[in-house]
């Protein structure tokens, strides 16, 4: 019988030993003790830009000899630590903060004379906490109230709560959150869309065990609009109607996913639309996805973002990578499920176009990656920032591998297999080795002759793309490609391109197939007919502006400046920053724009732009 392990003996051994080891991106010693529940009581202080309060952690001691708890923190001020006994009586504990590590933060070491069921830590966050963004009134749409939001993935929860910040540990949580009276607080928990705002007091409960990177909070002038029996959109008042319209298909998406992979297990599924500085497209915080406003373009063409974050309710939130080297188990599976949802709700043509664009992006990104970073199963991330190890390999090569399996085994068998994977590992944190064993037993061995061990080995263990990676195809894109060629050959004018009334994906395809540079006449013609400068569609902007920069087309600069200052979503703006930084003149312009943009950026985005600047300056 073909066995994956028979061709992967070294890998299997390595994976087994890695499973027992602690997560290198956390100080937690999970073999000794694990946090099982967390009770927060915190004040959100906009004046000082701090979260101040206490957290009570319930502990499951696994090693009877252990007398120490190591928590992750980053830039936290710890006021007191108390041990709490079974009767609820507290006593002061001895504690100390270890050395500061640039990537990991600072371990908080708490001594126990004897093992106690709970520990209580009083603390305050730093105004520059890496996992929080504090927005002044001016940075909101309403301009009247400040706004706060968290982004904990991958290892930023430790900057606003002292905890075991590893996805290997799951805990339930509750929270009492005190905010300025007119504001609403929401969390990755049981938000009540009918809750009255005005008391400044909010209580939350998450009764399902989640990993720390899914801990989330936002506070602001947030309105709610219901979009379905278990869905609503939360946003600043001026955005909420538009957002609700854009995301009106959310319930349809949930139904489609349930049909494929079983019940949605989290109760409500709400979406919080954040101000434009949110550094990501979306974040799958349980019960409340956090989303960028940049996908609200009026025609639902970018709502695959919702499909993606919703899909995480199965792949990632229910079955979770136990450390960040295995993030393809979260993002690859989710990108695959995302495409199945898009196909079910919007049809095959839409799904195919999105697949072609994703695969184009993967190939482009992979060309610049070291072979080790082209692997689905990364080496343990010792000494590496997990945010920086994340590439399209996890997302798109991961999804592509599952599509390969789907094609070989057929949808009936593969769909049942994937549903079984989610069911068998629900509310568990697992690594790639667990998946490989499950795959072998429940798909490969059950349906012999469909895949060869060497083919699986190529997907799981080799860099690059295997020979068996079948490219996605789109008939609509074939037409776009033909139109582009005719335009480049002078046989069609730009007005005729505009007349085709392309959707977002077709326009993206058009731009991606253009040569590295165009001349000013061509760019002027395109912009005149298709109005790219100043576009509100970030997917178009992130491809158009770098083209203008490479082509030395200065007429786009005012629009570029507005784009880079107005949006903080990294994926959309980094290509333009990088294109600018490639020439001395562009670099000077970029530095000027960054000086204005940075005060509005999230710490994660500031970090990315600063790193690109440092690199560019070294080169020049
Ligand atoms: N979980 C990710 C976002 C993330 C990953 C944050 C790693 C921090 C570290 C989220 O589900 C995601 O993948 N978002 C994408 C959108 C998606 C449509 C591909 C994004 O933000 O671009
Ligand atoms: Zn994702």
């Amino acid at each position: 019988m073909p066995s994956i392990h028979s061709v992967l003996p070294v890998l299997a051994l390595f994976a087994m030993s890695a499973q027992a080891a602690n997560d290198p991106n956390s100080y937690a010693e999970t073999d000794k003790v694990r946090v099982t529940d967390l009770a927060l009581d915190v004040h959100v202080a906009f004046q000082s830009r701090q979260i101040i309060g206490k957290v009570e952690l319930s502990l499951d001691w696994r090693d009877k000899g252990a007398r120490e708890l190591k928590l992750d923190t980053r830039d936290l001020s710890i006021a007191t630590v108390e041990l709490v006994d079974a009767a609820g009586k507290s006593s002061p504990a001895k504690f100390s903060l270890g050395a500061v590590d640039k990537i990991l933060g600072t371990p908080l070491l708490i001594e126990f004379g004897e093992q106690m069921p709970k520990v209580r830590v009083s603390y305050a966050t730093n105004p520059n906490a890496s996992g929080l963004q504090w927005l002044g009134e001016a940075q909101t749409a309403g301009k009247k109230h400040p706004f706060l939001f968290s982004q904990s993935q991958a290892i930023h929860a430790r900057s606003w709560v002292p905890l075991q910040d590893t996805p290997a540990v799951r805990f339930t949580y509750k929270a009492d959150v005190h905010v300025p009276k007119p504001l609403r607080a929401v969390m990755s928990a049981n938000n009540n869309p009918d809750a009255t705002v005005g008391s400044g007091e909010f209580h939350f409960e998450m009764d399902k065990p989640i990993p720390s990177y899914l801990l989330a909070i936002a506070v602001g002038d947030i309105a709610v609009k219901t979009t379905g029996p278990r869905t609503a959109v939360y946003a600043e008042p001026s955005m909420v109607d538009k957002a609700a319209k854009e995301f009106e298909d959310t319930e349809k998406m949930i139904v489609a996913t349930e049909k494929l992979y079983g019940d949605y297990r989290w109760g409500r599924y709400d979406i919080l639309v954040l101000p434009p500085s949110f550094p990501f497209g979306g974040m799958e915080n349980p019960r409340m996805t956090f989303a960028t406003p940049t996908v609200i373009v009026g025609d639902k063409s970018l709502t695959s973002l919702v499909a993606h974050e919703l899909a995480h309710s199965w792949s990632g939130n229910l079955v979770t990578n136990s450390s960040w080297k295995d993030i393809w188990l979260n993002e690859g599976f989710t990108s695959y499920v995302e495409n199945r949802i898009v196909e079910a709700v919007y049809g095959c043509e839409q799904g195919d176009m999105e697949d072609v664009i994703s695969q184009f992006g993967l190939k482009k990104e992979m060309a610049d990656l070291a072979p080790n970073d082209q692997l689905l199963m990364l080496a343990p991330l010792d000494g590496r920032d997990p945010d920086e190890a994340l590439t399209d390999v996890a997302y798109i090569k991961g999804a592509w591998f599952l599509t390969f399996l789907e094609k070989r085994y057929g949808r009936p068998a593969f769909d049942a297999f994937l549903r079984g994977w989610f069911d068998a590992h629900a509310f568990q944190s697992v690594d790639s080795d667990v998946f490989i064993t499950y795959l072998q037993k429940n798909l490969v061995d059950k349906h012999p002759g469909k895949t060869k061990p060497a083919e699986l080995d190529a997907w799981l263990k080799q860099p690059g793309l295997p020979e068996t990676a079948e490219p996605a195809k789109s008939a609509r894109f074939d037409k776009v490609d033909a139109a582009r060629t005719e335009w480049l050959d002078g046989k069609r004018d730009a007005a005729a391109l505009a007349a085709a009334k392309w959707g977002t994906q077709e326009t993206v395809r058009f731009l991606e197939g253009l040569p590295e540079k165009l001349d000013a006449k061509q760019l002027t013609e395109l912009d005149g007919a298709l109005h790219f400068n100043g576009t509100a569609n970030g997917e178009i902007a992130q491809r158009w502006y770098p083209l203008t920069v490479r082509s030395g087309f200065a007429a786009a600069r005012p629009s570029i400046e507005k784009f880079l200052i107005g949006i903080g979503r990294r994926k959309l703006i980094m290509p333009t920053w990088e294109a600018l930084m490639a020439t001395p003149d562009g670099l000077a312009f970029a530095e000027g724009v960054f000086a204005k943009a940075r005060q509005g950026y999230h710490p994660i985005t500031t970090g990315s732009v600063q790193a690109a600047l440092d690199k560019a300056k070294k080169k020049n």
Side-chain angles (χ1 to χ4, degrees):
M1 196 160 294
S3 149
I4 302 171
H5 286 138
S6 66
V7 295
L8 302 172
V10 181
L11 185 69
L13 266 177
F14 157 76
M16 258 146 46
S17 60
Q19 197 177 359
N22 287 319
D23 176 351
N25 296 126
S26 167
Y27 285 108
E29 295 172 322
T30 50
D31 45 340
K32 293 191 176 143
V33 54
R34 292 186 181 217
V35 171
T36 59
D37 179 71
L38 185 154
L40 276 168
D41 188 349
V42 291
H43 292 259
V44 176
F46 280 97
Q47 282 282 320
S48 62
R49 301 198 159 187
Q50 283 178 301
I51 290 180
I52 304 164
K54 54 187 187 230
V55 63
E56 198 168 270
L57 305 170
S58 299
L59 305 172
D60 171 21
W61 293 92
R62 303 205 161 186
D63 174 348
K64 290 295 157 229
R67 291 291 180 275
E68 186 184 64
L69 170 67
K70 269 194 202 168
L71 298 176
D72 293 298
T73 76
R74 191 201 306 283
D75 302 326
L76 293 181
S77 307
I78 307 297
T80 62
V81 179
E82 296 161 284
L83 309 183
V84 184
D85 71 14
K89 240 188 89 203
S90 58
S91 55
K94 267 200 192 156
F95 70 93
S96 61
L97 286 164
V100 181
D101 181 277
K102 216 169 159 265
I103 296 169
L104 299 180
T106 313
L108 169 61
L109 313 168
I110 303 171
E111 288 176 37
F112 286 74
E114 57 180 308
Q115 296 185 344
M116 294 277 193
K118 285 185 185 177
V119 64
R120 187 184 303 136
V121 183
S122 297
Y123 70 99
T125 62
N126 185 291
N128 298 312
S130 65
L132 300 176
Q133 189 176 12
W134 300 87
L135 298 174
E137 292 80 349
Q139 291 167 275
T140 65
K143 314 275 179 222
K144 280 207 200 101
H145 299 282
F147 203 104
L148 163 70
F149 66 83
S150 68
Q151 167 56 41
S152 297
Q153 195 181 9
I155 54 171
H156 302 288
R158 64 190 66 177
S159 76
W160 63 283
V161 186
L163 41 53
Q164 288 181 311
D165 199 9
T166 166
V169 171
R170 313 182 74 95
F171 51 81
T172 52
Y173 82 84
K174 10 188 183 323
D176 286 302
V177 179
H178 315 275
V179 305
K181 283 218 167 90
L183 303 186
R184 182 198 297 271
V186 294
M187 288 192 84
S188 52
N190 65 330
N191 298 284
N192 174 6
D194 303 319
T196 47
V197 174
S199 69
E201 307 290 318
F202 292 86
H203 180 75
F204 300 96
E205 286 184 23
M206 168 47 83
D207 58 0
K208 310 270 191 296
I210 60 160
S212 56
Y213 75 91
L214 295 178
L215 204 58
I217 188 168
V219 181
D221 181 13
I222 301 172
V224 189
K225 187 156 182 173
T226 293
T227 54
R230 53 184 158 171
T231 60
V233 166
Y234 288 65
E236 281 196 72
S238 66
M239 279 296 288
V240 76
D241 286 328
K242 240 184 128 191
K245 185 90 191 87
E246 197 86 18
F247 299 146
E248 71 185 1
D249 295 332
T250 305
E251 173 63 23
K252 274 189 214 159
M253 291 184 178
I254 304 176
V255 171
T257 324
E258 287 185 312
K259 226 168 124 192
L260 286 166
Y261 308 116
D263 287 351
Y264 177 74
R265 304 195 198 206
W266 302 88
R268 296 190 56 86
Y269 178 80
D270 296 325
I271 302 171
L272 171 65
V273 177
L274 291 162
S277 67
F278 184 54
F280 293 97
M283 179 63 214
E284 65 272 28
N285 297 319
R287 290 185 183 161
M288 184 170 286
T289 281
F290 283 19
T292 174
T294 60
V295 294
I296 301 171
V297 289
D299 61 4
K300 302 186 195 173
S301 62
L302 300 175
T303 53
S304 59
L305 178 100
V306 174
H308 181 98
E309 306 314 336
L310 170 67
H312 273 304
S313 308
W314 286 261
S315 42
N317 299 4
L318 194 60
V319 184
T320 309
N321 51 224
S322 53
S323 72
W324 298 113
K325 71 180 167 60
D326 291 314
I327 192 167
W328 79 282
L329 293 176
N330 279 18
E331 299 300 344
F333 281 55
T334 293
S335 298
Y336 171 82
V337 172
E338 166 196 340
N339 203 255
R340 294 294 301 271
I341 299 171
V342 168
E343 185 191 307
V345 176
Y346 298 111
C348 290
E349 276 195 331
Q350 185 67 20
D352 290 343
M353 288 194 291
E354 293 186 8
D355 264 346
V356 173
I357 291 170
S358 304
Q359 292 176 4
F360 182 92
L362 169 66
K363 285 186 186 160
K364 211 168 130 193
E365 183 172 16
M366 206 146 63
D368 297 326
L369 291 178
N372 276 345
D373 288 330
Q374 299 176 14
L375 298 169
L376 280 186
M377 302 163 67
L378 297 169
L381 302 177
D382 296 86
R384 284 185 85 178
D385 182 341
D387 287 349
E388 265 144 43
L390 182 63
T391 69
D392 267 358
V393 171
Y395 285 83
I396 309 303
K397 185 178 174 181
W400 209 336
F401 174 44
L402 299 191
T403 304
F404 160 79
L405 293 174
E406 176 209 299
K407 293 226 167 99
R408 287 294 177 89
Y409 289 93
R411 280 199 172 172
F414 186 69
D415 290 356
F417 162 77
L418 201 50
R419 184 176 179 147
W421 164 252
F422 295 139
D423 282 338
H425 304 88
F427 301 109
Q428 289 176 34
S429 301
V430 296
D431 66 11
S432 293
D433 195 48
V434 174
F435 176 70
I436 290 174
T437 304
Y438 189 85
L439 172 67
Q440 181 70 42
K441 186 160 170 252
N442 296 283
L443 199 64
V444 178
D445 289 351
K446 267 197 188 156
H447 310 277
K450 303 275 189 201
T451 52
K452 297 194 187 91
E455 292 172 334
L456 297 173
D457 178 81
W459 278 104
L460 286 161
K461 220 197 134 183
Q462 306 297 329
L465 278 174
E467 277 170 21
T468 56
E470 223 180 275
K473 282 200 222 36
S474 156
R476 271 161 65 178
F477 280 3
D478 293 343
K479 283 194 193 147
V480 173
D481 291 345
R484 187 196 316 100
T485 303
E486 285 191 15
W487 178 72
L488 285 167
D489 291 347
K491 293 183 189 143
R492 197 187 275 223
D493 61 19
L497 299 178
K501 298 234 178 304
W502 288 329
T504 299
Q505 282 72 28
E506 286 156 304
T507 306
V508 163
R509 173 69 180 185
F510 175 79
L511 289 168
E512 287 192 328
L514 287 171
E516 272 290 294
K517 294 179 186 182
L518 294 177
D519 63 35
K521 188 172 155 276
Q522 289 171 308
L523 290 165
T524 306
E525 191 193 335
L526 279 185
D527 188 40
L530 295 158
H531 311 294
F532 289 143
N533 279 333
T535 173
N537 188 318
E539 292 295 337
I540 294 172
Q542 68 144 320
R543 291 162 174 98
W544 166 253
Y545 291 132
L547 170 68
T548 67
V549 171
R550 289 192 302 267
S551 307
F553 187 61
R557 282 206 176 169
S559 309
I560 289 179
E561 177 163 340
K562 271 195 205 126
F563 173 62
L564 296 178
I565 292 174
I567 294 176
R569 181 177 174 195
R570 283 193 316 175
K571 191 188 102 173
L572 297 186
I573 57 176
M574 287 315 292
T576 302
W577 281 118
E578 281 159 3
L580 284 170
M581 291 171 192
T583 66
D585 168 59
L587 181 61
F589 175 73
E591 285 193 275
V593 177
F594 189 41
K596 298 184 210 167
R598 66 179 306 157
Q599 74 255 25
Y601 276 3
H602 186 284
I604 290 179
T605 304
T606 310
S608 298
V609 178
Q610 189 63 56
L613 262 179
D614 295 345
K615 206 170 130 194
K617 280 191 179 162
K618 237 187 239 162
K619 256 195 199 159
N620 282 357

